[in-house]
PDB file of all heavy atoms in Angstrom:
ATOM      1  N   LYS A   1      -3.647   1.373   7.858  1.00  0.00           N
ATOM      2  CA  LYS A   1      -2.885   2.541   7.410  1.00  0.00           C
ATOM      3  C   LYS A   1      -3.779   3.772   7.397  1.00  0.00           C
ATOM      4  O   LYS A   1      -4.958   3.691   7.050  1.00  0.00           O
ATOM      5  CB  LYS A   1      -2.312   2.320   6.000  1.00  0.00           C
ATOM      6  CG  LYS A   1      -1.476   1.063   5.846  1.00  0.00           C
ATOM      7  CD  LYS A   1      -0.235   1.115   6.680  1.00  0.00           C
ATOM      8  CE  LYS A   1       0.580  -0.156   6.491  1.00  0.00           C
ATOM      9  NZ  LYS A   1       1.739  -0.206   7.314  1.00  0.00           N
ATOM     10  N   ASN A   2      -3.216   4.924   7.749  1.00  0.00           N
ATOM     11  CA  ASN A   2      -3.978   6.162   7.651  1.00  0.00           C
ATOM     12  C   ASN A   2      -3.775   6.762   6.260  1.00  0.00           C
ATOM     13  O   ASN A   2      -3.077   6.182   5.417  1.00  0.00           O
ATOM     14  CB  ASN A   2      -3.587   7.140   8.777  1.00  0.00           C
ATOM     15  CG  ASN A   2      -2.146   7.604   8.681  1.00  0.00           C
ATOM     16  OD1 ASN A   2      -1.554   7.699   7.607  1.00  0.00           O
ATOM     17  ND2 ASN A   2      -1.553   7.889   9.834  1.00  0.00           N
ATOM     18  N   THR A   3      -4.355   7.901   6.020  1.00  0.00           N
ATOM     19  CA  THR A   3      -4.292   8.522   4.694  1.00  0.00           C
ATOM     20  C   THR A   3      -2.856   8.775   4.261  1.00  0.00           C
ATOM     21  O   THR A   3      -2.466   8.425   3.140  1.00  0.00           O
ATOM     22  CB  THR A   3      -5.094   9.839   4.683  1.00  0.00           C
ATOM     23  OG1 THR A   3      -6.454   9.547   5.005  1.00  0.00           O
ATOM     24  CG2 THR A   3      -5.030  10.529   3.334  1.00  0.00           C
ATOM     25  N   ASP A   4      -2.059   9.380   5.130  1.00  0.00           N
ATOM     26  CA  ASP A   4      -0.676   9.711   4.764  1.00  0.00           C
ATOM     27  C   ASP A   4       0.161   8.454   4.534  1.00  0.00           C
ATOM     28  O   ASP A   4       0.961   8.404   3.597  1.00  0.00           O
ATOM     29  CB  ASP A   4      -0.025  10.594   5.833  1.00  0.00           C
ATOM     30  CG  ASP A   4      -0.621  11.996   5.860  1.00  0.00           C
ATOM     31  OD1 ASP A   4      -1.178  12.439   4.837  1.00  0.00           O
ATOM     32  OD2 ASP A   4      -0.526  12.649   6.916  1.00  0.00           O
ATOM     33  N   GLN A   5       0.008   7.448   5.371  1.00  0.00           N
ATOM     34  CA  GLN A   5       0.751   6.193   5.198  1.00  0.00           C
ATOM     35  C   GLN A   5       0.357   5.508   3.886  1.00  0.00           C
ATOM     36  O   GLN A   5       1.215   5.012   3.156  1.00  0.00           O
ATOM     37  CB  GLN A   5       0.479   5.241   6.367  1.00  0.00           C
ATOM     38  CG  GLN A   5       1.058   5.707   7.676  1.00  0.00           C
ATOM     39  CD  GLN A   5       0.503   4.923   8.853  1.00  0.00           C
ATOM     40  OE1 GLN A   5      -0.656   4.502   8.858  1.00  0.00           O
ATOM     41  NE2 GLN A   5       1.340   4.724   9.877  1.00  0.00           N
ATOM     42  N   THR A   6      -0.926   5.503   3.600  1.00  0.00           N
ATOM     43  CA  THR A   6      -1.423   4.897   2.358  1.00  0.00           C
ATOM     44  C   THR A   6      -0.848   5.622   1.158  1.00  0.00           C
ATOM     45  O   THR A   6      -0.345   4.996   0.217  1.00  0.00           O
ATOM     46  CB  THR A   6      -2.970   4.916   2.324  1.00  0.00           C
ATOM     47  OG1 THR A   6      -3.461   4.154   3.427  1.00  0.00           O
ATOM     48  CG2 THR A   6      -3.507   4.350   1.030  1.00  0.00           C
ATOM     49  N   ALA A   7      -0.896   6.937   1.194  1.00  0.00           N
ATOM     50  CA  ALA A   7      -0.370   7.741   0.090  1.00  0.00           C
ATOM     51  C   ALA A   7       1.121   7.471  -0.106  1.00  0.00           C
ATOM     52  O   ALA A   7       1.579   7.256  -1.231  1.00  0.00           O
ATOM     53  CB  ALA A   7      -0.606   9.223   0.364  1.00  0.00           C
ATOM     54  N   SER A   8       1.861   7.468   0.979  1.00  0.00           N
ATOM     55  CA  SER A   8       3.300   7.247   0.902  1.00  0.00           C
ATOM     56  C   SER A   8       3.633   5.874   0.327  1.00  0.00           C
ATOM     57  O   SER A   8       4.491   5.740  -0.554  1.00  0.00           O
ATOM     58  CB  SER A   8       3.907   7.397   2.300  1.00  0.00           C
ATOM     59  OG  SER A   8       5.279   7.113   2.284  1.00  0.00           O
ATOM     60  N   GLU A   9       2.942   4.847   0.816  1.00  0.00           N
ATOM     61  CA  GLU A   9       3.224   3.482   0.355  1.00  0.00           C
ATOM     62  C   GLU A   9       2.818   3.258  -1.100  1.00  0.00           C
ATOM     63  O   GLU A   9       3.432   2.461  -1.801  1.00  0.00           O
ATOM     64  CB  GLU A   9       2.540   2.469   1.258  1.00  0.00           C
ATOM     65  CG  GLU A   9       3.192   2.395   2.625  1.00  0.00           C
ATOM     66  CD  GLU A   9       2.592   1.328   3.526  1.00  0.00           C
ATOM     67  OE1 GLU A   9       1.930   0.402   3.025  1.00  0.00           O
ATOM     68  OE2 GLU A   9       2.805   1.434   4.756  1.00  0.00           O
ATOM     69  N   LEU A  10       1.780   3.967  -1.548  1.00  0.00           N
ATOM     70  CA  LEU A  10       1.316   3.795  -2.932  1.00  0.00           C
ATOM     71  C   LEU A  10       1.895   4.837  -3.883  1.00  0.00           C
ATOM     72  O   LEU A  10       1.570   4.842  -5.071  1.00  0.00           O
ATOM     73  CB  LEU A  10      -0.218   3.836  -2.973  1.00  0.00           C
ATOM     74  CG  LEU A  10      -0.930   2.701  -2.244  1.00  0.00           C
ATOM     75  CD1 LEU A  10      -2.440   2.901  -2.288  1.00  0.00           C
ATOM     76  CD2 LEU A  10      -0.546   1.342  -2.833  1.00  0.00           C
ATOM     77  N   LEU A  11       2.717   5.735  -3.329  1.00  0.00           N
ATOM     78  CA  LEU A  11       3.350   6.791  -4.118  1.00  0.00           C
ATOM     79  C   LEU A  11       2.324   7.668  -4.823  1.00  0.00           C
ATOM     80  O   LEU A  11       2.433   7.984  -6.014  1.00  0.00           O
ATOM     81  CB  LEU A  11       4.339   6.203  -5.134  1.00  0.00           C
ATOM     82  CG  LEU A  11       5.449   5.326  -4.540  1.00  0.00           C
ATOM     83  CD1 LEU A  11       6.285   4.695  -5.636  1.00  0.00           C
ATOM     84  CD2 LEU A  11       6.312   6.119  -3.577  1.00  0.00           C
ATOM     85  N   ILE A  12       1.299   8.052  -4.054  1.00  0.00           N
ATOM     86  CA  ILE A  12       0.280   8.983  -4.537  1.00  0.00           C
ATOM     87  C   ILE A  12       0.114  10.066  -3.477  1.00  0.00           C
ATOM     88  O   ILE A  12       0.716   9.987  -2.407  1.00  0.00           O
ATOM     89  CB  ILE A  12      -1.068   8.265  -4.809  1.00  0.00           C
ATOM     90  CG1 ILE A  12      -1.583   7.551  -3.548  1.00  0.00           C
ATOM     91  CG2 ILE A  12      -0.937   7.284  -5.971  1.00  0.00           C
ATOM     92  CD1 ILE A  12      -2.931   6.851  -3.707  1.00  0.00           C
ATOM     93  N   THR A  13      -0.697  11.067  -3.754  1.00  0.00           N
ATOM     94  CA  THR A  13      -0.897  12.133  -2.776  1.00  0.00           C
ATOM     95  C   THR A  13      -2.000  11.767  -1.793  1.00  0.00           C
ATOM     96  O   THR A  13      -2.852  10.914  -2.077  1.00  0.00           O
ATOM     97  CB  THR A  13      -1.287  13.459  -3.468  1.00  0.00           C
ATOM     98  OG1 THR A  13      -2.597  13.306  -4.044  1.00  0.00           O
ATOM     99  CG2 THR A  13      -0.269  13.851  -4.529  1.00  0.00           C
ATOM    100  N   SER A  14      -2.000  12.426  -0.657  1.00  0.00           N
ATOM    101  CA  SER A  14      -3.057  12.240   0.334  1.00  0.00           C
ATOM    102  C   SER A  14      -4.407  12.630  -0.256  1.00  0.00           C
ATOM    103  O   SER A  14      -5.430  12.003   0.042  1.00  0.00           O
ATOM    104  CB  SER A  14      -2.780  13.072   1.586  1.00  0.00           C
ATOM    105  OG  SER A  14      -1.604  12.623   2.210  1.00  0.00           O
ATOM    106  N   GLY A  15      -4.399  13.658  -1.087  1.00  0.00           N
ATOM    107  CA  GLY A  15      -5.635  14.086  -1.748  1.00  0.00           C
ATOM    108  C   GLY A  15      -6.197  12.997  -2.639  1.00  0.00           C
ATOM    109  O   GLY A  15      -7.415  12.796  -2.697  1.00  0.00           O
ATOM    110  N   THR A  16      -5.310  12.280  -3.328  1.00  0.00           N
ATOM    111  CA  THR A  16      -5.760  11.186  -4.193  1.00  0.00           C
ATOM    112  C   THR A  16      -6.379  10.070  -3.359  1.00  0.00           C
ATOM    113  O   THR A  16      -7.403   9.497  -3.732  1.00  0.00           O
ATOM    114  CB  THR A  16      -4.587  10.647  -5.041  1.00  0.00           C
ATOM    115  OG1 THR A  16      -4.103  11.707  -5.862  1.00  0.00           O
ATOM    116  CG2 THR A  16      -5.016   9.477  -5.903  1.00  0.00           C
ATOM    117  N   VAL A  17      -5.785   9.778  -2.214  1.00  0.00           N
ATOM    118  CA  VAL A  17      -6.355   8.762  -1.314  1.00  0.00           C
ATOM    119  C   VAL A  17      -7.764   9.191  -0.904  1.00  0.00           C
ATOM    120  O   VAL A  17      -8.712   8.395  -0.967  1.00  0.00           O
ATOM    121  CB  VAL A  17      -5.463   8.541  -0.070  1.00  0.00           C
ATOM    122  CG1 VAL A  17      -6.172   7.662   0.962  1.00  0.00           C
ATOM    123  CG2 VAL A  17      -4.130   7.937  -0.470  1.00  0.00           C
ATOM    124  N   SER A  18      -7.929  10.440  -0.523  1.00  0.00           N
ATOM    125  CA  SER A  18      -9.238  10.935  -0.092  1.00  0.00           C
ATOM    126  C   SER A  18     -10.265  10.870  -1.214  1.00  0.00           C
ATOM    127  O   SER A  18     -11.412  10.462  -0.995  1.00  0.00           O
ATOM    128  CB  SER A  18      -9.118  12.370   0.415  1.00  0.00           C
ATOM    129  OG  SER A  18      -8.308  12.400   1.568  1.00  0.00           O
ATOM    130  N   VAL A  19      -9.850  11.234  -2.416  1.00  0.00           N
ATOM    131  CA  VAL A  19     -10.752  11.166  -3.573  1.00  0.00           C
ATOM    132  C   VAL A  19     -11.147   9.717  -3.847  1.00  0.00           C
ATOM    133  O   VAL A  19     -12.320   9.413  -4.113  1.00  0.00           O
ATOM    134  CB  VAL A  19     -10.105  11.816  -4.816  1.00  0.00           C
ATOM    135  CG1 VAL A  19     -10.868  11.488  -6.084  1.00  0.00           C
ATOM    136  CG2 VAL A  19     -10.011  13.322  -4.632  1.00  0.00           C
ATOM    137  N   GLN A  20     -10.178   8.809  -3.759  1.00  0.00           N
ATOM    138  CA  GLN A  20     -10.465   7.390  -3.989  1.00  0.00           C
ATOM    139  C   GLN A  20     -11.461   6.871  -2.941  1.00  0.00           C
ATOM    140  O   GLN A  20     -12.392   6.125  -3.272  1.00  0.00           O
ATOM    141  CB  GLN A  20      -9.183   6.553  -3.945  1.00  0.00           C
ATOM    142  CG  GLN A  20      -8.238   6.811  -5.096  1.00  0.00           C
ATOM    143  CD  GLN A  20      -8.709   6.193  -6.408  1.00  0.00           C
ATOM    144  OE1 GLN A  20      -9.881   5.930  -6.619  1.00  0.00           O
ATOM    145  NE2 GLN A  20      -7.769   5.966  -7.304  1.00  0.00           N
ATOM    146  N   LEU A  21     -11.259   7.245  -1.688  1.00  0.00           N
ATOM    147  CA  LEU A  21     -12.159   6.785  -0.626  1.00  0.00           C
ATOM    148  C   LEU A  21     -13.581   7.325  -0.823  1.00  0.00           C
ATOM    149  O   LEU A  21     -14.562   6.604  -0.579  1.00  0.00           O
ATOM    150  CB  LEU A  21     -11.618   7.166   0.750  1.00  0.00           C
ATOM    151  CG  LEU A  21     -10.373   6.389   1.184  1.00  0.00           C
ATOM    152  CD1 LEU A  21      -9.781   6.993   2.456  1.00  0.00           C
ATOM    153  CD2 LEU A  21     -10.680   4.916   1.381  1.00  0.00           C
ATOM    154  N   THR A  22     -13.696   8.558  -1.289  1.00  0.00           N
ATOM    155  CA  THR A  22     -15.018   9.123  -1.581  1.00  0.00           C
ATOM    156  C   THR A  22     -15.693   8.350  -2.705  1.00  0.00           C
ATOM    157  O   THR A  22     -16.882   8.021  -2.622  1.00  0.00           O
ATOM    158  CB  THR A  22     -14.884  10.619  -1.954  1.00  0.00           C
ATOM    159  OG1 THR A  22     -14.323  11.319  -0.845  1.00  0.00           O
ATOM    160  CG2 THR A  22     -16.231  11.227  -2.324  1.00  0.00           C
ATOM    161  N   SER A  23     -14.929   8.031  -3.720  1.00  0.00           N
ATOM    162  CA  SER A  23     -15.467   7.260  -4.844  1.00  0.00           C
ATOM    163  C   SER A  23     -15.867   5.848  -4.410  1.00  0.00           C
ATOM    164  O   SER A  23     -16.915   5.328  -4.805  1.00  0.00           O
ATOM    165  CB  SER A  23     -14.434   7.204  -5.973  1.00  0.00           C
ATOM    166  OG  SER A  23     -14.945   6.486  -7.063  1.00  0.00           O
ATOM    167  N   ILE A  24     -15.034   5.228  -3.576  1.00  0.00           N
ATOM    168  CA  ILE A  24     -15.331   3.891  -3.049  1.00  0.00           C
ATOM    169  C   ILE A  24     -16.632   3.942  -2.244  1.00  0.00           C
ATOM    170  O   ILE A  24     -17.482   3.059  -2.367  1.00  0.00           O
ATOM    171  CB  ILE A  24     -14.163   3.374  -2.171  1.00  0.00           C
ATOM    172  CG1 ILE A  24     -12.922   3.122  -3.030  1.00  0.00           C
ATOM    173  CG2 ILE A  24     -14.567   2.111  -1.420  1.00  0.00           C
ATOM    174  CD1 ILE A  24     -11.640   2.923  -2.219  1.00  0.00           C
ATOM    175  N   SER A  25     -16.788   4.972  -1.441  1.00  0.00           N
ATOM    176  CA  SER A  25     -17.990   5.134  -0.628  1.00  0.00           C
ATOM    177  C   SER A  25     -19.235   5.201  -1.511  1.00  0.00           C
ATOM    178  O   SER A  25     -20.246   4.551  -1.226  1.00  0.00           O
ATOM    179  CB  SER A  25     -17.866   6.401   0.215  1.00  0.00           C
ATOM    180  OG  SER A  25     -18.988   6.569   1.027  1.00  0.00           O
ATOM    181  N   ARG A  26     -19.153   5.954  -2.589  1.00  0.00           N
ATOM    182  CA  ARG A  26     -20.282   6.049  -3.524  1.00  0.00           C
ATOM    183  C   ARG A  26     -20.580   4.699  -4.161  1.00  0.00           C
ATOM    184  O   ARG A  26     -21.732   4.289  -4.262  1.00  0.00           O
ATOM    185  CB  ARG A  26     -19.994   7.083  -4.610  1.00  0.00           C
ATOM    186  CG  ARG A  26     -20.563   8.432  -4.292  1.00  0.00           C
ATOM    187  CD  ARG A  26     -20.494   9.390  -5.453  1.00  0.00           C
ATOM    188  NE  ARG A  26     -19.590  10.459  -5.067  1.00  0.00           N
ATOM    189  CZ  ARG A  26     -18.399  10.689  -5.582  1.00  0.00           C
ATOM    190  NH1 ARG A  26     -17.947   9.980  -6.574  1.00  0.00           N
ATOM    191  NH2 ARG A  26     -17.651  11.668  -5.144  1.00  0.00           N
ATOM    192  N   LYS A  27     -19.539   4.002  -4.578  1.00  0.00           N
ATOM    193  CA  LYS A  27     -19.723   2.716  -5.250  1.00  0.00           C
ATOM    194  C   LYS A  27     -20.295   1.652  -4.326  1.00  0.00           C
ATOM    195  O   LYS A  27     -21.129   0.850  -4.736  1.00  0.00           O
ATOM    196  CB  LYS A  27     -18.402   2.213  -5.840  1.00  0.00           C
ATOM    197  CG  LYS A  27     -18.013   2.908  -7.122  1.00  0.00           C
ATOM    198  CD  LYS A  27     -16.768   2.276  -7.702  1.00  0.00           C
ATOM    199  CE  LYS A  27     -16.440   2.842  -9.069  1.00  0.00           C
ATOM    200  NZ  LYS A  27     -15.276   2.153  -9.656  1.00  0.00           N
ATOM    201  N   LEU A  28     -19.844   1.636  -3.076  1.00  0.00           N
ATOM    202  CA  LEU A  28     -20.304   0.615  -2.139  1.00  0.00           C
ATOM    203  C   LEU A  28     -21.580   1.024  -1.403  1.00  0.00           C
ATOM    204  O   LEU A  28     -22.227   0.197  -0.776  1.00  0.00           O
ATOM    205  CB  LEU A  28     -19.201   0.261  -1.135  1.00  0.00           C
ATOM    206  CG  LEU A  28     -17.943  -0.376  -1.729  1.00  0.00           C
ATOM    207  CD1 LEU A  28     -16.932  -0.681  -0.635  1.00  0.00           C
ATOM    208  CD2 LEU A  28     -18.274  -1.631  -2.518  1.00  0.00           C
ATOM    209  N   GLY A  29     -21.896   2.308  -1.457  1.00  0.00           N
ATOM    210  CA  GLY A  29     -23.126   2.785  -0.841  1.00  0.00           C
ATOM    211  C   GLY A  29     -23.074   2.916   0.664  1.00  0.00           C
ATOM    212  O   GLY A  29     -24.114   2.926   1.319  1.00  0.00           O
ATOM    213  N   VAL A  30     -21.881   2.992   1.219  1.00  0.00           N
ATOM    214  CA  VAL A  30     -21.715   3.149   2.668  1.00  0.00           C
ATOM    215  C   VAL A  30     -20.700   4.245   2.937  1.00  0.00           C
ATOM    216  O   VAL A  30     -19.930   4.627   2.048  1.00  0.00           O
ATOM    217  CB  VAL A  30     -21.268   1.834   3.355  1.00  0.00           C
ATOM    218  CG1 VAL A  30     -22.316   0.759   3.183  1.00  0.00           C
ATOM    219  CG2 VAL A  30     -19.935   1.354   2.847  1.00  0.00           C
ATOM    220  N   SER A  31     -20.697   4.752   4.162  1.00  0.00           N
ATOM    221  CA  SER A  31     -19.706   5.767   4.511  1.00  0.00           C
ATOM    222  C   SER A  31     -18.972   5.356   5.775  1.00  0.00           C
ATOM    223  O   SER A  31     -19.473   4.547   6.560  1.00  0.00           O
ATOM    224  CB  SER A  31     -20.373   7.135   4.690  1.00  0.00           C
ATOM    225  OG  SER A  31     -21.310   7.068   5.730  1.00  0.00           O
ATOM    226  N   GLY A  32     -17.813   5.910   5.933  1.00  0.00           N
ATOM    227  CA  GLY A  32     -16.958   5.573   7.060  1.00  0.00           C
ATOM    228  C   GLY A  32     -15.990   4.474   6.659  1.00  0.00           C
ATOM    229  O   GLY A  32     -16.381   3.497   6.018  1.00  0.00           O
ATOM    230  N   ARG A  33     -14.757   4.639   7.027  1.00  0.00           N
ATOM    231  CA  ARG A  33     -13.717   3.698   6.602  1.00  0.00           C
ATOM    232  C   ARG A  33     -13.955   2.277   7.099  1.00  0.00           C
ATOM    233  O   ARG A  33     -13.714   1.318   6.379  1.00  0.00           O
ATOM    234  CB  ARG A  33     -12.344   4.204   7.035  1.00  0.00           C
ATOM    235  CG  ARG A  33     -11.945   5.456   6.271  1.00  0.00           C
ATOM    236  CD  ARG A  33     -10.633   6.016   6.743  1.00  0.00           C
ATOM    237  NE  ARG A  33     -10.375   7.277   6.048  1.00  0.00           N
ATOM    238  CZ  ARG A  33      -9.191   7.701   5.702  1.00  0.00           C
ATOM    239  NH1 ARG A  33      -8.112   6.995   6.014  1.00  0.00           N
ATOM    240  NH2 ARG A  33      -9.037   8.831   5.072  1.00  0.00           N
ATOM    241  N   ALA A  34     -14.417   2.126   8.322  1.00  0.00           N
ATOM    242  CA  ALA A  34     -14.672   0.779   8.850  1.00  0.00           C
ATOM    243  C   ALA A  34     -15.752   0.091   8.018  1.00  0.00           C
ATOM    244  O   ALA A  34     -15.615  -1.079   7.651  1.00  0.00           O
ATOM    245  CB  ALA A  34     -15.082   0.854  10.316  1.00  0.00           C
ATOM    246  N   ALA A  35     -16.818   0.805   7.695  1.00  0.00           N
ATOM    247  CA  ALA A  35     -17.900   0.237   6.885  1.00  0.00           C
ATOM    248  C   ALA A  35     -17.437  -0.052   5.463  1.00  0.00           C
ATOM    249  O   ALA A  35     -17.862  -1.046   4.859  1.00  0.00           O
ATOM    250  CB  ALA A  35     -19.100   1.179   6.867  1.00  0.00           C
ATOM    251  N   LEU A  36     -16.558   0.781   4.925  1.00  0.00           N
ATOM    252  CA  LEU A  36     -16.009   0.534   3.582  1.00  0.00           C
ATOM    253  C   LEU A  36     -15.243  -0.782   3.554  1.00  0.00           C
ATOM    254  O   LEU A  36     -15.401  -1.590   2.638  1.00  0.00           O
ATOM    255  CB  LEU A  36     -15.087   1.672   3.145  1.00  0.00           C
ATOM    256  CG  LEU A  36     -15.729   3.006   2.834  1.00  0.00           C
ATOM    257  CD1 LEU A  36     -14.656   4.042   2.504  1.00  0.00           C
ATOM    258  CD2 LEU A  36     -16.722   2.885   1.702  1.00  0.00           C
ATOM    259  N   VAL A  37     -14.416  -0.979   4.565  1.00  0.00           N
ATOM    260  CA  VAL A  37     -13.627  -2.214   4.647  1.00  0.00           C
ATOM    261  C   VAL A  37     -14.564  -3.420   4.768  1.00  0.00           C
ATOM    262  O   VAL A  37     -14.413  -4.407   4.050  1.00  0.00           O
ATOM    263  CB  VAL A  37     -12.621  -2.148   5.827  1.00  0.00           C
ATOM    264  CG1 VAL A  37     -11.998  -3.506   6.097  1.00  0.00           C
ATOM    265  CG2 VAL A  37     -11.539  -1.104   5.536  1.00  0.00           C
TER     266      VAL A  37
END
């Protein structure tokens, strides 16, 4: 899923998805969506 699809399915904003991904990146210590997964 891309940002907009994720936001739509979770009933949150695209901005919230982006903020969550940034936080996940910090927590996991990696960047890039493929590396996060």
Side-chain angles (χ1 to χ4, degrees):
K1 306 295 180 183
N2 64 30
T3 300
D4 290 336
Q5 292 167 326
T6 299
S8 176
E9 289 184 19
L10 295 177
L11 303 175
I12 57 178
T13 68
S14 296
T16 299
V17 171
S18 296
V19 167
Q20 292 285 23
L21 290 171
T22 299
S23 181
I24 293 167
S25 181
R26 265 190 245 111
K27 283 185 173 184
L28 296 180
V30 298
S31 61
R33 292 177 185 214
L36 290 176
V37 169

